[in-house]
Amino acid sequence: MAGDIRILIVDDDPSVRDSLGRWFRDEGCEVDVAGNAKEALRKLGEAAWDVFLLDIRMPGMDGLELQQHILAVQPDATIIVMTAYASVDSAVRAMRQGAHDYITKPFDPDAVERLARTAVERRRLQRQNEQLKRAVAELEPEAEIVGDSPAMRNARRWIEAAGSSDGPILIVGERGTGRETVARAIHARSVRRYMPFVTLGTALAGPELEAEMLGLEQGPGGRARRRGKLELADGGTLFVDGIAGLGPKAQEDLLRAVEDKAICRLGAERRIPVDFRPIAAAEREPAPGEPGLRPELLERLAVVTIRLPPLRERREDIEPLAEQFLRRCGRKMNRLFQGFSSAALQTLREAEWPGNVRQLQIAVERAAVLKDGGIIDEHDLRPDADLGRKESDGDPDEIARIRGALAAAEGNLAVAAGILGVDRADLFERMKRLGVERTTGK
Amino acid sequence: MELKRGTRVADEIIILPIGAADPALIEFLSLTVGQAFGRDVRAGWAAMAPDFAYDPVRRQVHSTMLIDRIEAMPHAGDPKVLGVTEADLFIPIFTFVFGEARLGGRAAVMSVARLRESHYGRDDDPRVLYRRAEKEALHELGHTFGLVHCLDYGCVMHFANTVEDVDIKGDGFCAKCERRLATRLNPRRSPG
Ligand SMILES: [Zn+2]
Ligand SMILES: [Zn+2]
């Protein structure tokens, strides 16, 4: 990606040359090194370089003098000088004479990361637009937004439109309708695609939630500072799931961040600029003047509302969705499925699906893991299967469920986690806590 | 996903604890990181103590020395080896690193010291540690398969040097890195 960015590192210390060289090679750059100014000048004569990293103090010609030579030959060169803490003054002098930036040794990875960004990514950015267009074209349709029903077609139109705009969005849908998937789809289609997608859950409350949102200037016990979700989302998308569950203080914090485009970490005075696109989600449409929800915030966030219909209101989508889940599952497990029997399809179509698409997916996956392939029949299905969450500790059923999933998955942790609807780390932690051994497959 | 039959032993990934390591974490990584690369993973229990690379002044372990030692170890075939240590790692020019890898090479190392919640004065949560460690393991191993850093925050090859960044980046390879990975993996695979 950055293979055409060429960096020359000049330092008399081989460990600096090696480590920095490796760093920028990891960034995808082409790197060469020189142990002194003379060698550097020779390399300058042989080829063009985009970025120079120069040690200020070198025996013979020092970095400041070398910088003058480079700028004489290549006035547009990006030069970064490297210096020990003691000689920051000379770095400042180098900057005055045309250096782009300086870093002090030993380098903080943050500082080098910043350098890599400014010196290298500036060039990448020019190509980003093109990459972006390609990346958007490559996106697979997400499972939850599959379907040909009028309600779903309408929702998809909104998602496409939201992707090409940059305004706030409110997503309204029951649990399991894919609110987060839709938010991610919008993010992936937006100009913010390469920047972070940050989810703010509402499991926390009070001061903990506030710290989660705004960050802490100084962590507990004087430990490292911590950046909050609003700051982390800078440049990207902040997804707030369950907007109505946010307390009044959190709503105010969020509103202020959206309006001011800045936040203050807890315990800090300094304002940090943040620019994120808010996408909020709610289980049902908030009424104007709804108690517990600040009207200004709702006004800010609900500029465009995307409504995700419950599965029972678009039953015509059940069959294509189920087929898709089965195909995907078969691919994952290396099994060949021919589809569903007509009785099975009827069961699927008639079920209520209070957990919506997510519940349908789990029902199909559970049926599939217990079959070696062929046709999924009515008795293979348990459409009333729960969503596999909210299992309480020490529930004897839980151990059996985990064992069953592991057996069906032939010991494959990722597949078993998929069946149970939890993530791998979650499943593994439960196995350890409950003393469930993984039985290896064939 | 079943690992492809016919995966040669030579192509495996070895998770190598360096010094005292949390066996549950090693087991978790052994169970999860192979999938993305289509390779078998095993925990290598050949003991390797980090002492020789310990810098008493910095009170950290020099990660490049660990990598050199791993590369020099005799291995059957051509495995990738990921060293996992509780020690805080550095390379001379940096205050610390989460990990280091030899681009396109055999060896990588990662430290879990700064992945633990307790490092930041919070209560430890094994699930949080597992998630972070899995991302870092995939990232460093990605380097050994020739992948470089990726701009996409959704991609595990995105550079992160704070836990917050590790937490918000994705836990898989983006389409672009996936493709690049496939071209590196496939020429080596003998048919059948
Ligand atoms: Zn890296
Ligand atoms: Zn990537």
Side-chain angles (χ1 to χ4, degrees):
Chain A
M1 172 172 47
D4 50 346
I5 290 172
R6 296 168 47 84
I7 298 183
L8 185 64
I9 298 167
V10 190
D11 199 310
D12 56 327
D13 180 347
S15 77
V16 171
R17 295 198 299 268
D18 287 356
S19 312
L20 264 189
R22 197 169 305 129
W23 176 279
F24 281 100
R25 275 186 203 109
D26 283 1
E27 290 288 332
C29 303
E30 210 175 297
V31 180
D32 203 350
V33 294
N36 55 54
K38 233 166 91 189
E39 199 185 341
L41 288 171
R42 208 186 60 237
K43 298 209 158 158
L44 181 64
E46 285 166 1
W49 302 91
D50 302 305
V51 180
F52 295 84
L53 286 158
L54 308 181
D55 185 20
I56 285 202
R57 280 177 52 184
M58 288 185 292
M61 188 192 293
D62 72 3
L64 282 174
E65 203 182 335
L66 176 59
Q67 175 181 334
Q68 295 314 306
H69 284 277
I70 294 170
L71 287 173
V73 181
Q74 216 185 303
D76 63 340
T78 298
I79 296 178
I80 292 152
V81 294
M82 306 181 281
T83 172
Y85 281 115
S87 58
V88 168
D89 280 355
S90 45
V92 171
R93 204 161 66 234
M95 300 272 288
R96 245 183 251 127
Q97 294 174 12
H100 181 81
D101 207 343
Y102 76 92
I103 36 173
T104 50
K105 297 177 192 174
F107 306 139
D108 185 318
D110 255 334
V112 180
E113 160 67 356
R114 197 193 62 223
L115 284 186
R117 269 191 199 296
T118 55
V120 175
E121 290 190 4
R122 244 185 342 174
R123 284 164 193 270
R124 288 183 187 170
L125 282 175
Q126 297 164 351
R127 291 189 289 260
Q128 189 161 314
N129 262 332
E130 204 186 315
Q131 281 178 1
L132 229 164
K133 281 182 195 135
R134 244 180 290 136
V136 168
E138 280 164 7
L139 285 172
E140 261 187 56
E142 290 78 1
E144 285 86 346
I145 49 183
V146 160
D148 233 358
S149 60
M152 227 33 231
R153 271 207 299 252
N154 190 40
R156 263 205 309 275
R157 258 203 307 277
W158 277 109
I159 291 163
E160 292 301 333
S164 50
S165 84
D166 197 35
I169 307 280
L170 178 69
I171 300 169
V172 176
E174 292 178 7
R175 73 175 172 141
T177 50
R179 296 177 304 222
E180 180 163 346
T181 310
V182 167
R184 283 183 186 278
I186 293 169
H187 173 74
R189 284 160 173 74
S190 76
V191 290
R192 297 171 182 267
R193 184 220 178 310
Y194 284 115
M195 300 306 279
F197 178 92
V198 176
T199 300
L200 179 68
T202 49
L204 298 174
E208 278 189 326
L209 176 60
E210 210 179 336
E212 178 87 355
M213 289 172 72
L214 300 174
L216 293 168
E217 189 59 26
Q218 197 163 50
R223 303 305 288 265
R225 72 177 159 78
R226 180 173 145 204
R227 288 172 296 158
K229 292 276 172 74
L230 270 48
E231 188 179 339
L232 288 168
D234 185 35
T237 300
L238 181 77
F239 176 57
V240 187
D241 199 11
I243 186 77
L246 284 181
K249 177 76 176 76
Q251 291 186 28
E252 194 191 318
D253 289 340
L254 181 60
L255 177 64
R256 214 182 301 149
V258 171
E259 283 183 341
D260 302 353
K261 290 194 179 299
I263 57 127
C264 282
R265 291 190 195 126
L266 296 181
E269 300 280 296
R270 191 164 56 99
R271 282 159 58 90
I272 297 166
V274 292
D275 168 34
F276 56 80
R277 176 192 210 177
I279 300 184
E283 205 148 312
R284 53 183 184 78
E285 196 120 9
E290 172 143 341
L293 191 59
R294 284 185 70 132
E296 308 96 301
L297 184 63
L298 183 60
E299 203 176 295
R300 274 277 176 186
L301 297 181
V303 175
V304 170
T305 303
I306 296 177
R307 292 170 189 84
L308 299 175
L311 195 52
R312 63 184 172 278
E313 284 174 20
R314 51 179 186 117
R315 292 186 188 274
E316 63 267 49
D317 290 339
I318 290 174
E319 188 176 335
L321 277 167
E323 299 277 3
Q324 183 186 324
F325 292 143
L326 185 61
R327 264 197 313 274
R328 217 200 281 165
C329 212
R331 259 204 314 273
K332 263 199 289 195
M333 298 187 300
N334 264 328
R335 295 180 193 170
L336 188 65
F337 292 101
Q338 263 104 39
F340 299 89
S341 70
S342 52
L345 278 179
Q346 191 176 343
T347 306
L348 291 175
R349 259 185 251 118
E350 285 170 2
E352 267 311 292
W353 303 117
N356 293 295
V357 182
R358 177 93 189 102
Q359 188 185 10
L360 171 63
Q361 180 177 2
I362 289 171
V364 171
E365 284 176 354
R366 282 187 175 176
V369 293
L370 296 173
K371 295 276 275 195
D372 275 336
I375 291 176
I376 303 287
D377 206 359
E378 189 193 358
H379 61 260
D380 299 322
L381 289 166
R382 284 168 53 216
D384 55 339
D386 61 59
L387 288 172
R389 16 181 156 107
K390 302 251 159 52
E391 281 146 315
S392 57
D393 279 0
D395 175 2
D397 270 4
E398 187 186 0
I399 296 177
R401 227 176 347 241
I402 292 175
R403 284 221 175 96
L406 283 166
E410 293 175 359
N412 186 312
L413 191 73
V415 174
I419 296 167
L420 293 166
V422 297
D423 80 6
R424 298 180 286 265
D426 241 315
L427 172 58
F428 189 75
E429 192 268 341
R430 281 193 218 183
M431 285 163 59
K432 289 285 142 193
R433 192 157 36 82
L434 300 170
V436 178
E437 286 293 319
R438 193 181 65 100
T439 46
T440 329
K442 309 160 198 173
Chain B
M1 191 197 294
E2 274 282 61
L3 289 172
K4 302 275 176 297
R5 260 180 288 275
T7 304
R8 288 170 297 138
V9 183
D11 280 348
E12 68 189 355
I13 292 170
I14 299 170
I15 309 284
L16 178 73
I18 298 176
D22 175 353
L25 178 67
I26 299 295
E27 186 187 350
F28 179 70
L29 292 177
S30 310
L31 291 176
T32 50
V33 299
Q35 217 133 43
F37 305 104
R39 293 196 173 193
D40 284 323
V41 186
R42 73 180 167 86
W45 291 106
M48 177 159 159
D51 308 33
F52 71 96
Y54 183 73
D55 182 322
V57 177
R58 298 185 58 143
R59 293 195 288 175
Q60 288 172 306
V61 167
H62 190 329
S63 71
T64 315
M65 290 172 71
L66 296 181
I67 287 194
D68 288 341
R69 178 68 62 95
I70 293 172
E71 296 243 317
M73 282 163 68
H75 292 287
D78 186 22
K80 301 289 185 191
V81 184
L82 174 68
V84 179
T85 181
E86 294 284 336
D88 195 20
L89 296 176
F90 79 99
I91 54 183
I93 60 163
F94 292 130
T95 47
F96 74 91
V97 290
F98 277 144
E100 187 187 349
R102 196 133 290 168
L103 194 63
R106 163 175 297 162
V109 290
M110 60 175 276
S111 162
V112 296
R114 290 171 193 261
L115 300 181
R116 289 189 190 281
E117 284 287 88
S118 50
H119 184 82
Y120 307 94
R122 284 169 261 164
D123 291 339
D124 268 328
D125 180 338
R127 288 165 304 180
V128 172
L129 175 66
Y130 296 153
R131 281 184 204 116
R132 290 174 181 164
E134 187 187 353
K135 290 180 188 177
E136 285 309 289
L138 288 174
H139 181 98
E140 298 305 343
L141 283 167
H143 281 318
T144 67
F145 285 98
L147 296 183
V148 296
H149 287 158
C150 179
L151 269 181
D152 191 336
Y153 270 86
C155 177
V156 81
M157 290 313 291
H158 189 84
F159 171 75
N161 69 314
T162 64
V163 273
E164 296 101 312
D165 284 323
V166 175
D167 287 343
I168 61 171
K169 80 173 178 181
D171 61 2
F173 295 98
C174 72
K176 209 169 46 191
C177 290
E178 185 102 56
R179 261 201 314 275
R180 202 174 290 167
L181 188 60
T183 61
R184 312 248 169 185
L185 286 172
N186 287 331
R188 319 186 59 164
R189 172 139 302 143
S190 48

